[in-house]
Structure formats: C-alpha cells, structure tokens
Amino acid sequence: MLKVDNQFIDLYRYTEEEQQEQLKKWHQDRTYIECLCLKTNGYYPLLAVKRSSKGNYHLFNLPRNTKNRWEHADDCPYNRHLQDFLKRIGINIDYEGKYSLKTDKQDKQKIEQQLKFLSYAILQKYEVHRYVPNQKRELHKRLYKACCEVNINDYELSKHVYIANPNYKYNFNDHMLVIGLTDLTKVIYKKGQVELPIYSLKDKDNRKKIASINVFNKIFFEEKLDRRIMEQGIFFLWRFPDQNKIFRDYKIIFIPCEPKSIIPAFSKEEADKIKHLINNNVVFRKPLIMPRGFHKQIIYEEKMKGGNYYVRQPL
C-alpha cells in the first residue's frame, strides 16, 4: 500500500497498463511516495519512480531512508536487509530492483539453495503472497512481470519461462523455468518418471487442468514432498542447458498453498488460519523470505485505523 498526497493507493489493484500510466505521472511530477509497509520513528519510508533503459517505470528506494533509519517491513522488496540477505547467498539486485544469478563454479547444494530463494523472491516481488478480498489475483501476470526482472546465467528469464496458461504451450527446448499449479494426489507414477498435472494460473480458468509434464524420478523425489502438509501448490521447475545448450530438468521446488487463494501455507494449521481470514474478508500477507531467511509460520494482517493511516499487525 502506498500514500501520495494523503491518498491511499493499492497499486496492485491496477492492471499493468494502469500501473505504468500512474508511475509515469509520478515520474513526471517527481512525486515522493510513502511506502506504508512499516512506520519507524513516526515516518514511513519514501519511494520515487525511475524510468528503465527499456522505457518502463518502476519504484525505487530513496537513500534518505537509510540515513534517517526509516525501515521498510521485513518482507517488503525494498527492505535493504532483505536485499543484503539475498546478495549474501549469491542473488544480486541492481539499481532497478532486478535479480541476477550466476550458478557456474558452485556446488549443487549451493545452487539449489539459490533457486529456492529466487523462487520465493519471484513470488514475493509482486505480492503473490498477499490477499485482498474481491481483488483479481492475476497470478500469471504478476509472476511473468517478476520473471521479466530476472537474469540467470545471462539468460533473460522473460524469454525462457512458461507460466501455466491455456493460451501458451510448454516448449521442452526453449523453457528454462516452468511455473504452474499442481495436485500431488493426481501425480501418475511411471517407470523412471512421474507425470505431473499442470493447472492454469489464470483467474477465469478456475484452476482447470491444461497439461501434464513428465519429470524424472530423481528430480521429483529430491524435493521430499510431504502430502501430509498440503496436497496442492505452486511448483517451479528449473531447467539448465547441457553442453549442447539443450535445457534439462535440474530442480523442482514445490510451494504448498491454500487451494482457494493460492497463498503459501506450510502446515494444515496455517491453511486453516488463511481460510478463516478469507472467510472474514481480512487483508493479509504470508511472507516467504525476510532478512533472516525463510519463514513458515508468520502471517500479517493489514488494516486501516482511524481512516487516516495504514498498519500491519502480526497475527
């Protein structure tokens, strides 16, 4: 949530085109924007707008926040401690907020850790982890927008990602990352492989099955999926090129979710809490990564108080 000229603005309620128009106007007006993620010493941290080399507009964190110790919330993408954490594990962030990762000359365990946190960062970048009643989720658009800001081993992810959508097909030769919904109870086990169903991430498709993908047993069972926690969720299938530059399956990451909202939930109890919040029309977020790493059992409620400021309260 943002505040400009005493008006509260939830930028993610807008379409991508509307967001760019609004950001362009703020850029032209040199507007200072308050990020209402957290209030420190009576002040909210400030953002401004930059125009990228490709002509897109994006928000960026003002240096004065650090000088004045105006901190962003731990799960806010503009939090400098969160950015520092990602940099420490090898995920670099440039001045436009874009992620880059180089996996060469690293062991497999380190690369898998990086891919796990990069997957969480992609989900969190444009608030897939946030629920607003009656808001269009448009997960496929949010995830694609986040992937447009990722470079991995000099590949622009925007050109090599498949996000479950009936209008497009998975290309074995061209896609470096596959993102979709799946259901572990519908997995078909074959000799040496498993057949993983893929469900659409588009709102209007009502989570319908659009394809299946075969994954080698070694890749699938390395993830140590636990059906007792949650049977539905989002998966990230990362694929790296071999010596012939043919993409091969490398790592699958399964993120269990509450089925209705597709908000991450890492236990039955957490899923029940999320259902309760949805049924009571609560605005909330479920952080995945924070400055100290991965967090499972934290949910924040968001609400207006007194009609004049925004607060976040841990549940």
Side-chain angles (χ1 to χ4, degrees), residues 1-5 9 11 22-23 26-27 30-36 44-49 58-60 62 65 72:
M1 180 68 73
L2 307 174
K3 186 178 180 183
V4 178
D5 295 330
I9 298 173
L11 203 57
Q22 183 63 76
L23 291 172
W26 288 341
H27 180 262
R30 298 186 177 182
T31 303
Y32 286 139
I33 302 149
E34 290 180 281
C35 181
L36 304 185
Y44 292 110
L46 296 175
L47 302 171
V49 179
H58 64 274
L59 295 167
F60 74 97
L62 287 178
N65 293 327
H72 288 272

Side-chain angles (χ1 to χ4, degrees), residues 10 13 30 35 47 69 82 94 105 122 134 244 295:
D10 191 346
R13 286 184 179 272
R30 298 186 177 182
C35 181
L47 302 171
R69 297 184 180 179
L82 174 57
D94 69 11
K105 299 180 181 178
I122 289 172
N134 303 316
N244 297 316
H295 287 265

Side-chain angles (χ1 to χ4, degrees), residues 1 10 13 127-135 137 258 260-261 263 270 272-286 299-304 310-315:
M1 180 68 73
D10 191 346
R13 286 184 179 272
E127 300 195 334
V128 171
H129 68 305
R130 181 171 180 251
Y131 179 81
V132 178
N134 303 316
Q135 182 187 52
R137 297 280 284 149
E258 190 281 320
K260 182 179 178 181
S261 62
I263 295 290
E270 194 168 61
D272 289 342
K273 183 183 288 187
I274 288 171
K275 288 177 185 176
H276 174 76
L277 296 173
I278 292 170
N279 291 335
N280 287 276
N281 294 315
V282 175
V283 179
F284 67 93
R285 64 177 68 217
K286 162 65 189 138
I299 297 177
Y300 287 112
E301 179 183 1
E302 302 180 15
K303 57 184 172 181
M304 300 291 295
Y310 208 78
V311 297
R312 303 171 68 249
Q313 297 178 336
L315 296 176

Side-chain angles (χ1 to χ4, degrees), residues 79-129:
N79 182 291
R80 60 189 174 92
H81 301 297
L82 174 57
Q83 293 177 348
D84 289 343
F85 167 77
L86 292 173
K87 289 175 182 177
R88 284 197 300 275
I89 62 173
I91 300 172
N92 293 312
I93 305 172
D94 69 11
Y95 75 96
E96 293 183 352
K98 294 182 179 180
Y99 301 116
S100 62
L101 174 63
K102 294 277 191 180
T103 62
D104 55 336
K105 299 180 181 178
Q106 297 190 74
D107 61 53
K108 183 175 175 59
Q109 185 176 2
K110 178 68 173 178
I111 294 171
E112 290 182 349
Q113 180 199 42
Q114 292 171 331
L115 293 177
K116 177 180 178 180
F117 281 105
L118 182 57
S119 300
Y120 291 156
I122 289 172
L123 280 176
Q124 202 160 289
K125 178 76 174 181
Y126 290 107
E127 300 195 334
V128 171
H129 68 305

Side-chain angles (χ1 to χ4, degrees), residues 11 17 38 90 117 120 155 229 231 240 249 286 300 304:
L11 203 57
E17 294 76 17
L38 183 68
F117 281 105
Y120 291 156
Y155 285 91
I229 297 176
E231 295 167 342
F240 286 168
D249 296 351
K286 162 65 189 138
Y300 287 112
M304 300 291 295

Side-chain angles (χ1 to χ4, degrees), residues 120-182:
Y120 291 156
I122 289 172
L123 280 176
Q124 202 160 289
K125 178 76 174 181
Y126 290 107
E127 300 195 334
V128 171
H129 68 305
R130 181 171 180 251
Y131 179 81
V132 178
N134 303 316
Q135 182 187 52
K136 289 183 178 180
R137 297 280 284 149
E138 296 191 317
L139 300 183
H140 64 297
K141 291 184 179 180
R142 296 190 192 203
L143 289 168
Y144 181 71
K145 184 178 178 182
C147 288
C148 286
E149 300 178 15
V150 177
N151 181 297
I152 181 165
N153 295 333
D154 295 326
Y155 285 91
E156 293 291 338
L157 198 55
S158 60
K159 300 176 181 178
H160 298 280
V161 63
Y162 171 74
I163 298 173
N165 181 334
N167 298 331
Y168 302 95
K169 291 185 178 180
Y170 165 58
N171 186 327
F172 181 86
N173 295 317
D174 194 45
H175 287 129
M176 186 179 203
L177 174 61
V178 180
I179 307 176
L181 294 174
T182 195

